[in-house]
Amino acid sequence: LKLTGAGLAAGIVASLFLSQFLKTQVFEISETDPFVYAALSLLLLAVATVAVLMPARRAMLLDPVTSIRQQ
């Protein structure tokens, strides 16, 4: 999740620097609309959290001794 946070921060900074280009790509919203930035950041953070927690939960359910003996 640390990498996700760093990527979100870098993406927001980059999109603010490239806002003039974004002006030609987005319609009916401002290129620096804070609601859009917040909503997309939360969506990406939620997807990354689910992607991290699913394998972690599966690993927590395994018995370490059984796992080591099978190897």
Side-chain angles (χ1 to χ4, degrees):
L1 287 177
K2 290 179 185 179
L3 290 174
T4 302
L8 283 174
I12 289 172
V13 169
S15 67
L16 289 174
F17 280 123
L18 297 170
S19 65
Q20 292 303 317
F21 173 72
L22 287 175
K23 184 184 272 189
T24 63
Q25 301 297 316
V26 294
F27 303 102
E28 297 183 14
I29 60 170
S30 171
E31 67 274 5
T32 56
D33 188 12
F35 176 74
V36 172
Y37 281 99
L40 290 176
S41 296
L42 288 175
L43 176 68
L44 289 173
L45 187 61
V47 169
T49 302
V50 169
V52 168
L53 289 180
M54 289 177 65
R57 184 176 183 280
R58 189 174 16 179
M60 286 183 349
L61 295 176
L62 290 177
D63 183 28
V65 175
T66 307
S67 178
I68 292 172
R69 285 186 183 156
Q70 288 180 355
Q71 290 181 2

